[in-house]
Amino acid sequence: MHALHRGLIGATTALAATVPMAAGVSAHATVKLDDPSALFEPCYQSVTVSNDGAFAVAFTVRAENSEPYSTEWTSYFGRSEARTLDAGDVGVGEYAPVHVEAVAAFGSPFRSRDFAFCRNGRTKLIEAKGTAANPWFEDR
């Protein structure tokens, strides 16, 4: 019985050693779990919404943890204008998930994909496009 058990453990170990290569994953690929930034790449400090659409737009940066936090909404701004908000003003810690909520005047609301906040000076770009009858946002 012990020989069978040792044989199964050896076969399982050998199989586990080949799985990363079979899946196309390098045996040298590692993720540092003590480095939160490795789990949330890329992360951004601020968000710019550029209005390339034929309508007015306003936006906020929001985090929804146990309590929702958000920056003040920008005032509506028109075509060929842009506004930037520092996601640090949301009041959450480093690497917290945040997103952008935007609204076109007389249009549908938009919510970006979540991204991580970190104080690194990088700026996330979102472009407002379309017309007042058909507005959309492109999350870059």
Side-chain angles (χ1 to χ4, degrees):
M1 184 66 150
H2 291 296
L4 176 62
H5 183 66
R6 281 193 304 265
L8 287 175
I9 290 174
T12 303
T13 303
L15 180 61
T18 62
V19 169
M21 297 308 282
V25 176
S26 167
H28 301 289
T30 60
V31 174
K32 293 180 181 180
L33 295 179
D34 60 340
D35 181 8
S37 66
L39 301 174
F40 295 106
E41 284 296 329
C43 61
Y44 301 93
Q45 182 170 341
S46 59
V47 176
T48 295
V49 173
S50 174
N51 189 354
D52 298 325
F55 52 86
V57 64
F59 75 100
T60 187
V61 178
R62 186 169 176 83
E64 295 178 20
N65 295 326
S66 57
E67 295 182 40
Y69 296 93
S70 65
T71 61
E72 293 292 324
W73 280 83
T74 64
S75 59
Y76 280 95
F77 55 99
R79 182 176 183 85
S80 300
E81 293 183 296
R83 300 285 185 276
T84 301
L85 292 175
D86 187 330
D89 293 341
V90 172
V92 295
E94 292 276 313
Y95 309 108
V98 296
H99 63 270
V100 173
E101 292 180 5
V103 64
F106 310 111
S108 302
F110 162 80
R111 178 185 165 151
S112 74
R113 295 182 302 262
D114 282 349
F115 59 94
F117 161 74
C118 60
R119 296 185 192 284
N120 62 1
R122 293 182 64 190
T123 301
K124 179 173 186 61
L125 175 64
I126 295 179
E127 295 175 328
K129 304 263 187 179
T131 65
N134 185 25
W136 74 87
F137 295 84
E138 293 182 2
D139 187 353
R140 301 283 177 185

